[in-house]
Amino acid sequence: HFFVKSSSAQGSVWTSFLKSIATFSGDLSNLTAPPFILSPVSLTEFPAYWCEHPELFAAIVDGKTPEERALRVLKWFICTLRGQYTTRNEDMGSEKKPLNPVLGEVFYGHWPDKDGRGRTDLVVEQVSHHPPITAFHIENKSKGVSLQGHNAQKTSFSTVNMAPSIIVKQIGHSVLTIELPTGVKEQYLITLPKLVIAGLVYGKPYIELAENSYIASSTGYLSTIAYTGKGWSWNSVAHTFKAVVTQPLLSSSNSKPVPLYTFEGQWDGKSINTANKTVFTNTGKDGENGHKELVTVAPIEAQQARFESRKLWQVVSEGIRTGNFDVAAKDKARIENEQRQMRAAEREKGETWQLIHFERVESDPVYDKLAVMLKDTGVPLKEDCYVFQHNAPVIEDKE
Ligand code: CLR
């Protein structure tokens, strides 16, 4: 019962792809997708979306009070969403299936110092292949702001508003840490929203966000972001949200948290402070926060690490970009075979793959402490974490 409203030869290929998704269980990264829906970019590049507004990231620490800093964290977070979830559609015409990283794949980048905001560095490593898990660390040393997290997905197929859709539950979280000039540290636990991939019948997948995500601060402030856009609810406007920031609860009382601020609007456009109607964020194309700054990455010739993402996938990406899908498929098969051989050799020697930048830990005290603030929300109170250990080789800025 799926229809692709196009008369192209791609139509029937797409229809059978949709049928295969509908009956598929497991992770989508294992599913073979038609060539025209393949993206030339690996998932290890995605954590860079967290910092495409490096000036907002740096400015968090300049907030004068815990309340002001909580608001700055929320503003920065909302401003990342457009880059995380919609700009691929503008760049590539629709959401596409990213390359599934190999174990140990790394992605390094940075945002140079500019206007006194300081330099920000990014280190990403694929820390698991089955299931795919990506860990990342983003740090602006001079400002004392860092973000660390890991990300995995659980996908399922469902009918949402009568349209066949892929539901993506994001597993994992990030923790933002700021160190104030006084030496005092604050932490913010950031949970991740659920994704609905809609537009499948038309062969033009796009992301809508659903349900809630949270930012819980060690200072007690809590932001609850509710996603209400169309494709999930019956709302006719896409990408809408409402964020409420509540006051720290006194440990002695069990009263309800008092809302301090409410922001409403579209996360890929304008949102306002509902109390005084002033603009909170404007991430729209020409909005004040619309400009995003792509991460700076060393040219492929200069990439030294063994599985540096763009170097590893160079032939595959080029094949996808230029429509030479046979070339892409062949090199992808080569990479996957090599991985299988490596795993087999490790098994034989009784060894395991050694991660470079992260170490898996059973629990993280910061997560355990802050997750308690979210105990009635369905966010798990305990999660595995990846501790960051080593920096990437530094790429100097050329003037
Ligand atoms: C990865 C973590 C980022 C945010 C993000 C954005 C898009 C998501 C991606 C995450 C995970 C993989 C994803 C992708 C959109 C489509 C793709 C869910 C969560 C799936 C695997 C591909 C589906 C195939 C259809 C397009 C046909 O911070």
Side-chain angles (χ1 to χ4, degrees):
H1 56 282
F2 299 126
F3 286 88
V4 174
K5 300 211 168 150
S6 107
S7 53
S8 70
Q10 290 176 352
S12 65
V13 177
W14 186 247
T15 310
S16 48
F17 175 61
L18 286 183
K19 281 184 188 151
S20 67
I21 300 179
T23 53
F24 189 79
S25 68
D27 71 75
L28 264 190
S29 52
N30 290 330
L31 200 74
T32 314
F36 58 88
I37 207 73
L38 298 178
S39 154
V41 178
S42 159
L43 262 187
T44 54
E45 296 207 21
F46 284 42
Y49 294 133
W50 286 108
C51 207
E52 289 180 340
H53 291 93
E55 72 293 348
L56 294 180
F57 187 69
I60 291 169
V61 73
D62 299 331
K64 295 279 177 295
T65 59
E67 183 171 314
E68 212 184 296
R69 290 189 288 275
L71 291 176
R72 284 172 182 239
V73 172
L74 177 63
K75 185 190 180 89
W76 155 78
F77 173 80
I78 299 293
C79 289
T80 68
L81 298 178
R82 187 171 126 85
Q84 300 259 18
Y85 301 112
T86 69
T87 40
R88 283 180 305 280
N89 297 51
E90 286 157 27
D91 299 344
M92 305 188 294
S94 76
E95 188 61 54
K96 297 200 170 183
K97 187 174 185 281
L99 298 167
N100 186 24
V102 305
L103 180 62
E105 183 174 327
V106 289
F107 180 67
Y108 304 136
H110 76 285
W111 291 264
D113 183 13
K114 202 191 268 179
D115 308 323
R117 72 182 185 201
R119 171 185 162 123
T120 311
D121 286 283
L122 166 73
V123 177
V124 184
E125 183 168 2
Q126 190 69 11
V127 292
S128 167
H129 186 67
H130 288 300
I133 306 176
T134 311
F136 58 91
H137 182 87
I138 301 175
E139 184 163 357
N140 183 330
K141 264 219 170 74
S142 65
K143 291 282 177 178
V145 184
S146 67
L147 179 76
Q148 195 184 304
H150 71 279
N151 199 251
Q153 299 88 38
K154 236 196 183 110
T155 49
S156 57
F157 187 82
S158 181
T159 305
V160 179
N161 296 343
M162 305 203 301
S165 306
I166 298 169
I167 312 292
V168 182
K169 185 174 177 217
Q170 296 203 66
I171 317 281
H173 61 266
S174 354
V175 173
L176 179 94
T177 304
I178 59 181
E179 188 170 342
L180 300 173
T182 56
V184 172
K185 278 191 182 173
E186 281 176 8
Q187 282 110 355
Y188 298 78
L189 170 64
I190 302 171
T191 73
L192 306 162
K194 180 176 265 185
L195 277 58
V196 176
I197 304 182
L200 291 175
V201 255
Y202 304 104
K204 281 229 169 242
Y206 69 90
I207 292 176
E208 187 54 278
L209 298 181
E211 300 182 352
N212 290 351
S213 77
Y214 304 90
I215 306 177
S217 167
S218 58
T219 57
Y221 290 90
L222 173 66
S223 296
T224 302
I225 305 119
Y227 304 91
T228 53
K230 81 169 178 197
W232 178 250
S233 67
W234 288 101
N235 195 335
S236 61
V237 186
H239 309 329
T240 49
F241 76 97
K242 180 176 172 178
V244 178
V245 182
T246 50
Q247 199 162 35
L249 279 180
L250 298 171
S251 53
S252 54
S253 82
N254 45 18
S255 55
K256 283 223 159 219
V258 180
L260 293 173
Y261 299 92
T262 305
F263 305 100
E264 242 175 317
Q266 283 172 282
W267 47 259
D268 66 332
K270 203 169 176 173
S271 61
I272 58 160
N273 179 335
T274 48
N276 57 19
K277 308 280 181 228
T278 52
V279 175
F280 179 53
T281 61
N282 191 349
T283 59
K285 263 191 186 145
D286 306 314
E288 72 200 287
N289 318 110
H291 174 75
K292 52 173 197 152
E293 191 177 322
L294 297 182
V295 64
T296 301
V297 181
I300 290 177
E301 317 79 72
Q303 297 192 358
Q304 301 287 325
R306 183 156 181 210
F307 294 135
E308 224 159 318
S309 187
R310 290 187 187 173
K311 190 173 75 180
L312 173 73
W313 294 108
Q314 187 174 18
V315 175
V316 178
S317 294
E318 183 65 14
I320 293 171
R321 281 205 180 90
T322 55
N324 292 311
F325 298 115
D326 292 348
V327 176
K330 204 170 147 214
D331 208 55
K332 185 166 169 283
R334 174 191 66 81
I335 293 169
E336 286 164 355
N337 273 331
E338 256 174 45
Q339 289 293 315
R340 271 190 288 273
Q341 277 164 21
M342 282 172 64
R343 296 296 89 81
E346 284 162 9
R347 266 195 307 276
E348 208 159 277
K349 291 191 207 144
E351 289 171 355
T352 50
W353 176 261
Q354 297 301 303
L355 297 175
I356 309 172
H357 301 292
F358 294 88
E359 190 199 350
R360 181 173 162 210
V361 289
E362 300 286 320
S363 76
D364 166 9
V366 177
Y367 179 87
D368 295 347
K369 190 179 91 191
L370 295 178
V372 173
M373 288 173 72
L374 306 173
K375 62 180 182 310
D376 302 322
T377 62
V379 171
L381 286 183
K382 197 128 202 106
E383 261 205 348
D384 284 354
C385 289
Y386 292 85
V387 183
F388 180 62
Q389 291 185 307
H390 306 288
N391 282 307
V394 175
I395 306 141
E396 295 300 336
D397 276 327
K398 287 190 212 83
E399 291 309 314

